[in-house]
Amino acid sequence: NTKCFGMDTVARVDFVVAHCREDLGWLTKHLQRVPLGARLLIYEKCGAPLAPDVLAAQLPAEQFMAVWQIDRADVGAARGDECSAYLTHILGSYENLADFTIFLQSDPMDHLHFDS
């Protein structure tokens, strides 16, 4: 339950992933307690969105209320890392940001150490 901090309504939660061709199957394995109504927004950094059948195989539909893929390829001298995807999300959603936004890299195994 995400009802907290004295709020009278259930908090909205967004998971934002900066993605570039990585397998997203780890989301299902390691995000086992996703709050009810949470949304997943996948910012495609390499201009190669996952085919719907591939996305469905990697992310069961019941885990998130909604899953969106947003094309966010870097152009010109723009930064080529996840920061630009995160900033795009904040600026594009500024008037309607979720109560909690969790920013994730699409290759966490290179950055985090999950228990097996």
Side-chain angles (χ1 to χ4, degrees):
N1 188 339
T2 53
K3 190 171 184 176
C4 59
F5 300 116
M7 299 170 66
D8 291 331
T9 61
V10 174
R12 294 178 305 134
V13 179
D14 282 346
F15 289 84
V16 174
V17 177
H19 181 253
C20 182
R21 300 184 189 98
E22 297 89 356
D23 184 329
L24 294 175
W26 67 270
L27 286 164
T28 302
K29 181 178 179 185
H30 294 292
L31 293 181
Q32 296 175 0
R33 293 181 143 193
V34 174
L36 188 64
R39 303 182 310 171
L40 175 65
L41 297 98
I42 303 167
Y43 285 82
E44 294 294 346
K45 305 272 300 145
C46 296
L50 294 171
D53 59 326
V54 174
L55 187 63
Q58 292 182 17
L59 299 169
E62 64 276 359
Q63 188 170 16
F64 295 96
M65 178 185 78
V67 176
W68 289 295
Q69 288 188 88
I70 300 113
D71 187 24
R72 179 52 183 101
D74 289 323
V75 293
R79 289 182 69 137
D81 58 16
E82 52 279 323
C83 297
S84 59
Y86 301 157
L87 184 59
T88 296
H89 177 76
I90 293 168
L91 294 176
S93 306
Y94 191 75
E95 296 295 326
N96 194 30
L97 285 169
D99 300 304
F100 300 93
T101 302
I102 297 127
F103 296 97
L104 301 167
Q105 295 176 321
S106 59
D107 58 348
M109 304 316 168
D110 294 342
H111 306 280
L112 302 173
H113 303 284
F114 291 115
D115 294 332
S116 297

